[in-house]
């Protein structure tokens, strides 16, 4: 007689317990998916900068130390709550198609492309990688706006100094770098500058068997950062660097042009709020982010808070149902997107900062795919996004390619305030595509409803629901919880590890009468919460 293998006998990629320490600092905490970038931000806090200054320094540093997730060629959203205020602001530098975007440039193959989204396939995958995959790179505009509207008088050159130093030193050639580059190597090799930087001798870099890793510079990125430090961030869009960038893009065959750059300006608006059971307010980026779906989940779970001390089986089962219903509604009208497969790795970065006064910044920024377009511009060293992948390439469809169009995306930075406007306050977010929403909601539920500490919440096993068709559950959850989840819908039991990446990578900060603290994702090998004292 043949029997199904037990859960305990399922193949495992790891045989250890992962943990990350809490960061607690008098002058604040910076949490990032890379410890060197977080340390750059913490140094800005210690030098007298505020949370916005530190967030900008961290974001630029990430371009040099975590280039596959974000950078000067990316896009994003930030939510900012100033100390003493009760309403947050959104810094919107989300994806926008170039003005010369033409659906005719993306002829269909007649087959489905089961990648990040189950869109129809495009000839040459030109919406997924290469020069026609670029949306307008708005990250520098977002960082500039964050600095101008919410930062101190600290010079931009000071904020860029850590990134310049890290870029000139080069990317660490350690095991995680090997893993990340290897996953994109088959496409990186198609583009000359990308291959030169990331594939020495035609292969991903391999760290030394003993000793310390070497470093490899990222083309002309360091020089571009130095130019911005001297000329100012606006030069990226309306100065000498903008002219060089437009020429760089034209040389490789892209359609983002000087006018697209000149017209690129991040906007600031009041953050939409979600009521959390009458006890808290969740300040979101709103619009075309995951915020409307987060609101649907919050409303669907309003009568089902997790028990004090932590979630139980019934709560997880109810969350599975509510999230699948919310995603069915979100994806309605997107056609084939309802069948989309989820990516196997993170391709976004999130950082959260709180300063000593209590100002909070939650900033999510991305290249979309890991390594974005996989195309490094040869003269400026900018690794460009592949934001055109967010659009359905079928002409006339919902979420279709059009000049200046904005697609639906999955980012979900949030700030939390008590309903009475008091304390404690939180900032949170995550990377991980459509997995982001589930992780952010659960981190909020664990802390706001169950009263868990940041440290306990970050290490609590979670579930993931990335669409209407099923649930993934952390294998560390109790058998009773797994049984309850299986009873309400299709269930896959998976590990929470480095790769395959089955869950998003959240981080969170908290500020209250007892000071500032933060925590990063345990399964992200480079992540850290770095305190400023």
């Amino acid at each position: 007689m043949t029997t199904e293998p037990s859960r305990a006998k399922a193949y495992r990629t790891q045989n250890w317990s992962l943990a990350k320490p809490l960061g607690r600092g008098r002058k604040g905490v910076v949490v990032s998916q890379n410890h060197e970038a977080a340390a750059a931000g913490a140094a800005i806090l210690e030098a007298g900068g505020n949370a916005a200054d530190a967030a900008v320094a961290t974001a630029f540093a990430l371009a040099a130390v975590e280039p596959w997730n974000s950078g000067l060629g990316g896009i994003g959203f930030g939510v900012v709550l100033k100390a003493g205020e009760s309403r947050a602001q959104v810094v919107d530098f989300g994806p926008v198609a170039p003005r010369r975007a033409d659906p005719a440039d993306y002829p269909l193959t007649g087959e489905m492309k089961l990648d990040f989204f189950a869109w129809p396939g495009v000839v040459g995958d030109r919406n997924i990688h290469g020069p026609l995959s670029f949306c307008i790179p708005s990250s520098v505009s977002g960082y500039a706006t964050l600095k101008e509207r919410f930062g101190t008088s600290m010079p931009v050159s000071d904020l860029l100094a850590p990134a310049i130093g890290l870029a000139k030193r080069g990317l660490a050639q350690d095991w995680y770098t090997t893993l990340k580059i290897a996953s994109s190597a088959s496409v990186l090799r198609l583009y000359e500058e990308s291959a030169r930087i990331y594939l020495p001798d035609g292969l991903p870099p391999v760290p030394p068997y003993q000793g310390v890793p070497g470093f490899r510079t990222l083309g002309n990125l360091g020089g571009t950062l130095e130019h911005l430090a001297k000329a100012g961030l606006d030069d990226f869009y309306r100065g000498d660097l903008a002219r060089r960038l437009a020429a760089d893009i034209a040389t490789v065959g892209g359609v983002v042009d000087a006018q697209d750059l000149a017209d690129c300006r991040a906007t600031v608006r009041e953050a939409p709020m979600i009521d959390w059971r009458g006890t808290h307010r969740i300040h979101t980026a709103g619009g075309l982010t995951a915020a409307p779906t987060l609101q649907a989940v919050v409303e669907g779970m309003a009568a089902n808070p997790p028990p004090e001390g932590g979630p139980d089986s019934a709560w997880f089962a109810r969350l599975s149902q509510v999230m699948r219903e919310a995603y069915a509604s979100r994806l309605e009208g997107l056609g084939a997107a309802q069948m989309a497969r989820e990516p196997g790795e993170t391709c976004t970065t999130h950082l959260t900062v709180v300063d000593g006064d209590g100002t909070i910044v939650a900033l999510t920024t991305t290249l979309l795919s890991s390594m974005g377009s996989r195309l490094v511009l040869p003269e400026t060293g900018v690794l460009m996004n592949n934001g055109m992948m967010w659009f359905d390439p079928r002409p006339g469809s919902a979420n279709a390619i059009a000049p200046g169009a904005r697609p639906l995306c999955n980012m979900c930075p949030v700030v939390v305030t008590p309903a009475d406007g008091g304390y404690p306050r939180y900032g949170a977010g995550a990377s991980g595509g459509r997995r982001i929403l589930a992780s952010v909601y659960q981190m909020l539920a664990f802390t706001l409803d169950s009263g868990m500490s940041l440290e306990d919440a970050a290490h609590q096993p979670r579930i993931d629901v990335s669409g209407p068709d099923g649930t993934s559950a952390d294998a560390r959850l109790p058998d009773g919880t797994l049984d309850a989840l299986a009873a309400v819908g299709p269930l896959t039991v998976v590990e929470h590890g480095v790769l395959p990446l089955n869950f998003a990578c959240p981080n969170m900060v908290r500020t209250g009468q007892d000071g500032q603290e933060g925590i990063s994702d345990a399964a992200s090998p480079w992540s850290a919460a770095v305190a400023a004292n």
Side-chain angles (χ1 to χ4, degrees):
M1 181 177 70
T2 302
T3 59
E4 292 295 319
S6 69
R7 293 186 182 118
K9 293 181 180 178
Y11 179 77
R12 301 183 65 86
T13 64
Q14 59 188 21
N15 198 28
W16 51 44
S17 296
L18 302 175
K20 283 291 173 77
L22 186 77
R24 183 179 287 114
R26 181 175 55 87
K27 292 184 178 179
V29 179
V30 181
V31 193
S32 167
Q33 290 177 197
N34 182 279
H35 62 100
E36 291 185 305
I44 294 297
L45 293 179
E46 292 179 343
N50 67 7
D53 298 323
V56 170
T58 303
F60 275 111
L62 284 166
V65 295
E66 192 197 48
W68 36 80
N69 283 345
S70 66
L72 279 60
I75 60 91
F77 294 87
V79 181
V80 184
L81 180 66
K82 296 175 70 173
E85 296 189 358
S86 58
R87 194 68 187 262
Q89 303 290 311
V90 178
V91 180
D92 182 342
F93 53 108
V96 179
R99 66 190 185 91
R100 293 192 292 153
D102 185 350
D105 287 337
Y106 305 89
L108 305 182
T109 63
E111 299 179 354
M112 297 303 294
K113 182 69 177 179
L114 297 177
D115 203 323
F116 271 48
F117 310 101
W119 303 136
V122 170
V123 172
D125 286 338
R126 59 184 66 172
N127 61 327
I128 296 175
H129 61 82
L132 291 179
S133 69
F134 305 165
C135 276
I136 300 168
S138 54
S139 284
V140 175
S141 180
Y143 306 158
T145 300
L146 179 58
K147 162 65 178 166
E148 292 161 5
R149 291 290 297 271
F150 302 101
T152 68
S153 59
M154 182 175 286
V156 167
S157 58
D158 289 359
L159 306 187
L160 285 173
I164 293 169
L166 291 166
K168 288 187 171 296
R169 181 203 66 181
L171 179 66
Q173 306 293 278
D174 72 2
W175 68 270
Y176 191 52
T177 297
T178 299
L179 185 67
K180 299 299 288 188
I181 292 176
S183 68
S184 296
S186 63
V187 183
L188 288 170
R189 66 186 178 88
L190 302 178
Y191 302 105
E192 183 178 357
E193 182 68 355
S194 304
R196 186 186 70 80
I197 293 169
Y198 293 108
L199 303 174
D201 302 318
L203 296 169
V206 177
Y209 191 74
Q210 294 180 334
V212 297
F215 298 91
R216 189 172 180 85
T217 56
L218 301 178
N220 293 323
L221 177 63
T224 292
L225 289 168
E226 282 189 314
H227 180 91
L228 288 173
K230 296 174 183 176
L233 300 182
D234 191 67
D235 200 73
F236 191 89
Y237 299 99
R238 290 165 282 277
D240 177 63
L241 182 56
R243 289 187 289 273
R244 290 165 49 207
L245 187 61
D248 222 1
I249 293 171
T251 296
V252 299
V255 298
V256 174
D257 61 17
Q259 191 62 53
D260 287 317
L261 296 174
D263 292 342
C264 180
R265 287 178 171 83
T267 60
V268 178
R269 63 176 185 272
E270 197 168 70
M273 291 194 299
I274 300 171
D275 175 72
W276 185 281
R277 233 184 306 281
T279 63
H280 292 83
R281 303 288 182 263
I282 313 300
H283 306 250
T284 75
L288 293 172
T289 70
T293 311
L294 174 63
Q295 180 164 355
V297 175
V298 171
E299 292 172 353
M301 293 296 291
N304 302 94
E308 185 74 20
D312 59 10
S313 299
W315 183 82
F316 275 121
R318 176 60 181 160
L319 178 61
S320 170
Q321 294 173 304
V322 168
M323 289 206 68
R324 282 185 282 120
E325 292 166 2
Y327 264 112
S329 177
R330 178 181 176 85
L331 298 176
E332 184 178 358
L334 292 183
Q338 296 186 32
M339 301 181 290
R341 291 182 179 178
E342 286 303 301
E345 57 178 318
T346 181
C347 45
T348 299
T349 202
H350 180 81
L351 63 99
T352 320
V353 185
V354 58
D355 62 30
D357 293 328
T359 293
I360 297 173
V361 176
L363 182 69
T364 309
T365 179
T366 187
L367 294 175
L368 180 50
S369 291
S370 183
M371 296 298 232
S373 65
R374 286 78 154 187
L375 197 159
V376 178
L377 298 176
E379 296 301 320
T380 55
V382 175
L383 176 57
M384 292 291 287
N385 71 80
N386 65 334
M388 296 304 292
M389 187 178 173
W390 265 310
F391 293 98
D392 185 338
R394 293 171 298 181
S397 64
N399 209 42
I401 295 170
R406 298 193 64 163
L408 194 70
C409 60
N410 301 299
M411 288 168 278
C412 195
V414 297
V415 169
V416 182
T417 55
D420 62 6
Y423 291 85
R425 300 174 170 201
Y426 300 83
S431 68
R434 278 203 274 140
R435 292 182 173 88
I436 289 172
L437 173 59
S439 71
V440 170
Y441 177 81
Q442 286 171 91
M443 287 292 287
L444 295 176
F446 298 159
T447 52
L448 304 184
D449 290 334
S450 291
M452 297 173 72
S453 67
L454 293 194
E455 198 165 12
D456 287 343
H459 294 90
Q460 165 67 42
R462 304 190 305 268
I463 66 170
D464 177 71
V465 179
S466 301
D469 299 326
T471 299
S472 296
D474 192 320
R476 297 174 297 163
L477 286 166
D479 286 344
T481 297
L482 299 177
D483 291 340
L485 287 165
V488 297
L491 178 69
T492 304
V493 180
V494 295
E495 290 180 297
H496 187 183
V498 176
L499 197 70
L501 189 81
N502 295 308
F503 299 91
C505 304
N507 61 57
M508 198 171 201
V509 298
R510 175 186 179 276
T511 181
Q513 302 301 323
D514 52 351
Q516 289 69 236
E517 58 186 22
I519 193 76
S520 69
D521 178 57
S524 301
W526 284 353
S527 72
V530 180
N533 290 295

